[in-house]
Amino acid sequence: MAQEVRGVVSREKDAPVAVETIVVPDPGPGEAVVRVQACGVCHTDLHYKQGGISDTYPFLLGHEAAGVVESVGAGVTEVEPGDFVVLNWRAVCGQCRACRRGRPWYCFDTHNAAQPMTLADGTPLSPALGIGAFADKTLVAAGQCTKVDRRAAPAAAGLLGCGVMAGLGAALNTGGVGRGDSVAVIGCGGVGTAAVMGARLAGAARIIAVDIDRRKLDTAARLGATHTVDSRATDPVEAVRELTGGFGADVVIEAVGRPETYRQAFYARDLAGTVVLVGVPTPEMTLELPLLDVFGRGGALKSSWYGDCLPSRDFPMLVDLYLQDRLDLDAFVSETIALDDVEGAFERMHRGDVLRSVVLL
Ligand code: APR
Ligand code: ZN
Ligand code: ZN
């Protein structure tokens, strides 16, 4: 039987989001219904509301979530009712050209639920990133559920579903940070701070946090940065070079998503070093660089989509590190809020007051 539950819906561009009754169908073949326990508030949810991602309103927002599988449809073998899961937006298909080449973290045909969730009047909802988890329950493809150790706090574990994974993966997967490396992270919000933690997990010797907000630098220092640079007061390229023997960092992670910070990342990197772009630019942004510098400085310029993560490989491992006190996911949870406070959380996010607000259900 389809169920009526509460969900946070964005009905039209820029209008405040509201808690509404939504209809969650029973899971069909390959689908699962998940009782959501916690869901973080991400920039992408705000971008949906602002029409920056598509115009297929109404949206059911929320996508950084953990919960318990309630029911599964025919043919589902990867999870069963009662499993504690983190939701992901990379349910790999196994068949596209990336999957067949053994690089499923680039999967070009990821799975979502086939049936729509709807408003009470039957209007189909577009779930954010194919998830829609600011809701008591949500319908997803079974492959979007990654089983992890149930001893983890849902508010912390759920954050692995998006921004925190993006930052950790930018350092661990895309950047390939290794023991003894020097790393600079430009922009230390939720994503950049996770990149700082990833660099620390990987054994980086020097981790330089760069931001224009003193509060963010203090948090980054508490969570693993060995040096901080306030780029409002100091030229970050000069500062990173000074802190690395005059050369630049081995890996520079850009976690803002702007041309000027990308340029800083490009020049704050040592010869043959790596730049990782994990911040997401907007369509009108362009980048101009001397092509001779791109050639002459060598190395690698990479982008990191979702931290190049493979949920089935990375989520259980990171939850285990969390449970062993080696990865402080709790530090990202600035506040826990109720379902009807998502609009307020967007404002706090916009002001830079929080790393993450997390809705508890
Ligand atoms: N130089 C350095 N830091 C900057 C600059 C700048 N010019 N402009 C902004 N910042 C800092 C902010 O002070 C903030 O700490 O970048 C950080 C951005 O953090 P958040 O707003 O919390 O965003 P976050 O969730 O970390 O995401 C960062 O990655 O996933 C994408 O869409 C997301 O593009 C965004 C980026
Ligand atoms: Zn695929
Ligand atoms: Zn997100």
Side-chain angles (χ1 to χ4, degrees):
M1 265 264 293
Q3 311 181 56
E4 294 201 338
V5 302
R6 299 171 305 157
V8 174
V9 174
S10 165
R11 279 196 181 245
E12 56 181 294
K13 188 169 157 54
D14 290 329
V17 301
V19 177
E20 304 210 23
T21 298
I22 65 162
V23 180
V24 180
D26 282 342
E31 294 176 339
V33 168
V34 174
R35 184 165 55 75
V36 181
Q37 293 176 304
C39 183
V41 180
C42 174
H43 282 267
T44 303
D45 296 304
L46 182 58
H47 290 164
Y48 272 107
K49 171 188 137 157
Q50 294 169 333
I53 295 185
S54 84
D55 54 6
T56 55
Y57 293 91
F59 296 111
L60 174 62
L61 300 182
H63 59 275
E64 298 189 350
V68 175
V69 176
E70 180 182 81
S71 56
V72 298
V76 172
T77 52
E78 49 273 72
V79 285
E80 57 186 27
D83 283 349
F84 177 58
V85 296
V86 175
L87 299 183
N88 74 73
W89 41 273
R90 183 169 282 158
V92 299
C93 77
Q95 259 132 51
C96 72
R97 60 196 189 283
C99 286
R100 287 159 80 115
R101 292 179 73 202
R103 303 166 169 188
W105 46 89
Y106 296 137
C107 178
F108 301 127
D109 193 19
T110 53
H111 289 173
N112 296 322
Q115 305 178 82
M117 292 181 275
T118 66
L119 292 171
D121 67 4
T123 309
L125 289 160
S126 306
L129 293 175
I131 293 182
F134 290 143
D136 296 305
K137 296 179 184 181
T138 186
L139 176 76
V140 292
Q144 291 182 273
C145 302
T146 308
K147 187 175 173 179
V148 299
D149 193 320
R150 65 174 61 256
R151 288 173 300 168
L159 296 183
L160 289 174
C162 184
V164 171
M165 183 67 246
L168 288 168
L172 294 167
N173 296 332
T174 318
V177 173
R179 270 192 307 283
D181 282 355
S182 57
V183 178
V185 178
I186 301 182
C188 295
V191 174
T193 303
V196 166
M197 279 192 185
R200 184 183 185 196
L201 267 180
R206 196 156 276 236
I207 305 171
I208 305 162
V210 180
D211 205 293
I212 52 175
D213 184 337
R214 199 63 245 174
R215 296 171 298 172
K216 300 301 168 80
L217 293 174
D218 291 343
T219 309
R222 202 156 40 74
L223 298 175
T226 58
H227 299 80
T228 61
V229 174
D230 178 347
S231 56
R232 222 166 229 164
T234 316
D235 176 356
V237 174
E238 285 306 314
V240 170
R241 284 195 187 150
E242 249 168 54
L243 289 165
T244 51
F247 301 120
D250 298 311
V251 180
V252 185
I253 296 168
E254 202 278 11
V256 184
R258 299 191 56 82
E260 60 272 25
T261 39
Y262 189 87
R263 188 184 300 271
Q264 291 167 3
F266 182 83
Y267 287 108
R269 155 190 81 130
D270 195 3
L271 291 173
T274 300
V275 173
V276 177
L277 175 65
V278 65
V280 182
T282 53
E284 76 287 357
M285 293 175 178
T286 59
L287 177 71
E288 201 170 311
L289 281 171
L291 195 53
L292 186 59
D293 283 352
V294 176
F295 175 77
R297 302 183 63 80
L301 306 176
K302 303 177 88 176
S303 307
S304 187
W305 306 334
Y306 201 178
D308 290 341
C309 76
L310 186 58
S312 59
R313 175 194 67 191
D314 295 333
F315 292 5
M317 177 265 291
L318 293 167
V319 164
D320 288 346
L321 292 179
Y322 164 71
L323 289 169
Q324 294 164 17
D325 288 331
R326 294 161 72 189
L327 177 64
D328 186 3
L329 295 175
D330 293 320
F332 291 95
V333 184
S334 310
E335 57 171 7
T336 55
I337 62 171
L339 199 58
D340 59 9
D341 193 19
V342 170
E343 189 63 44
F346 283 152
E347 278 159 36
R348 294 190 288 280
M349 181 170 77
H350 193 69
R351 286 199 305 264
D353 293 349
V354 291
L355 279 184
R356 276 295 187 267
S357 305
V358 179
V359 173
L360 288 186
L361 290 132

